[in-house]
């Protein structure tokens, strides 16, 4: 199975900051990479698919980039509602795997 | 707007069988793969397996032998059975749609059920 490794595991930031979360795949997944946001006690929500395409309704302060093995999710101008846990997930193979998650906390 | 509504027993004893069902409301059942994903307390997301309307399945290899998924296209429902549960199967279980981009090239989990908490305890 393809392993997905996120860093950092946790991150503290302030409202208005720009933050970047990285995700590395154990093998080349081209751009079959998705990002999800999960707020405490709620269902995960799809943010970005195909590494860089925003899902419908996702604010433009979210952006994704990368290809091959290395990917990143950036959030510019952090808003209070952005503090959550973020997961990457590969869909290159039909044994779908997730990163371990990055918890974004308010500083 | 497509919504997933899931239900099933929330408290099991070790060695029992977990059984969950998910109804697809307000949208097409055919043409998609439908997955189950679980999340142990305080941990990350684990994909369990998927099924399409025709009953074609794909399971995580480490759960193969214990997991069975079925689909009832006449009722727009799909189900998960996981046998011989242990405490390690304690988790929130989500039913999820695998959506596709135009051209069916990129796939992502775009619609999620509300989650069902399953606790395995003697």
């Amino acid at each position: 199975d393809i392993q997905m490794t996120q860093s950092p595991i946790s991150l503290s930031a302030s409202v208005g900051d720009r933050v970047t979360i990285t995700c590395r795949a154990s093998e080349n997944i081209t751009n079959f990479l998705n990002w999800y946001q999960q707020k405490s006690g709620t269902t995960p929500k799809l943010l970005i698919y195909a590494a860089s395409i925003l899902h419908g309704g996702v604010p433009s302060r979210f952006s994704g980039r990368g290809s091959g093995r290395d990917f990143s999710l950036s959030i510019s101008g952090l808003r209070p509602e952005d503090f959550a846990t973020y997961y990457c997930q590969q869909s290159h193979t039909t044994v779908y795997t997730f990163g371990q998650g990055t918890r974004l906390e308010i500083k | 707007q497509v919504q997933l509504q899931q239900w099933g027993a929330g408290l099991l004893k070790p060695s029992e069988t977990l059984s969950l069902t998910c109804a697809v409301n307000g949208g097409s059942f055919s043409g998609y793969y439908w997955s189950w994903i679980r999340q142990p307390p305080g941990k990350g997301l684990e994909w369990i397996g998927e099924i399409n309307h025709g009953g074609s399945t794909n399971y995580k290899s480490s759960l193969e032998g214990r997991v069975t998924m079925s689909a009832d296209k006449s009722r727009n429902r799909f189900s998960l059975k996981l046998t011989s549960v242990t405490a390690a199967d304690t988790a929130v279980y989500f039913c999820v749609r695998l959506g596709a981009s135009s051209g069916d090239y990129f796939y992502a989990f775009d619609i999620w059920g509300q989650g069902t908490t399953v606790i395995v305890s003697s």
Side-chain angles (χ1 to χ4, degrees):
Chain A
D1 298 355
I2 297 175
Q3 290 200 342
M4 308 300 294
T5 303
Q6 290 181 230
S7 63
I9 296 300
S10 66
L11 177 59
S12 293
S14 300
V15 171
D17 284 354
R18 175 183 172 86
V19 297
T20 297
I21 298 166
T22 65
C23 177
R24 170 166 281 191
S26 61
E27 61 186 78
N28 185 351
I29 58 170
T30 60
N31 59 341
F32 290 94
L33 190 283
N34 307 314
W35 289 98
Y36 302 84
Q37 176 195 65
Q38 185 179 30
K39 298 180 184 178
S40 181
T42 69
T43 299
K45 288 183 169 45
L46 176 63
L47 291 177
I48 288 172
Y49 65 94
S52 62
I53 302 176
L54 262 59
H55 186 52
V58 174
S60 59
R61 63 181 181 275
F62 291 90
S63 62
R65 59 184 300 166
S67 66
R69 293 181 58 201
D70 293 306
F71 303 86
S72 63
L73 169 70
S74 294
I75 314 170
S76 60
L78 275 172
R79 296 175 62 90
E81 60 266 34
D82 299 334
F83 292 92
T85 299
Y86 293 86
Y87 294 94
C88 62
Q89 173 253 325
Q90 64 81 19
S91 57
H92 179 68
T93 68
T94 54
V95 179
Y96 308 105
T97 46
F98 291 86
Q100 69 271 56
T102 294
R103 185 174 180 180
L104 175 57
E105 300 174 318
I106 299 178
K107 186 182 289 183
Chain B
Q1 183 173 349
V2 179
Q3 291 188 321
L4 304 182
Q5 183 178 7
Q6 58 182 104
W7 64 92
L11 182 59
L12 297 172
K13 290 182 167 45
S15 80
E16 291 185 333
T17 295
L18 179 157
S19 182
L20 299 174
T21 299
C22 183
V24 179
N25 300 318
S28 173
F29 186 61
S30 301
Y32 290 96
Y33 269 85
W34 304 92
S35 280
W36 290 94
I37 291 170
R38 67 182 181 180
Q39 185 170 36
K43 296 189 178 179
L45 300 164
E46 178 187 26
W47 177 79
I48 297 169
E50 64 181 358
I51 189 167
N52 70 359
H53 70 283
S56 179
T57 56
N58 177 28
Y59 302 139
K60 180 170 180 169
S61 58
S62 62
L63 295 173
E64 198 112 36
R66 289 205 297 139
V67 63
T68 303
M69 293 181 185
S70 58
D72 181 349
K73 58 185 177 183
S74 68
R75 302 175 80 179
N76 282 12
R77 293 180 180 181
F78 61 105
S79 297
L80 167 70
K81 288 192 189 302
L82 183 66
T83 62
S84 303
V85 296
T86 69
D89 297 309
T90 293
V92 177
Y93 287 73
F94 297 99
C95 59
V96 192
R97 188 181 82 169
L98 185 69
S101 63
S102 59
D104 289 346
Y105 193 63
F106 293 104
Y107 293 87
F109 299 113
D110 62 347
I111 298 176
W112 296 64
Q114 78 275 20
T116 300
T117 299
V118 175
I119 298 172
V120 180
S121 174
S122 56

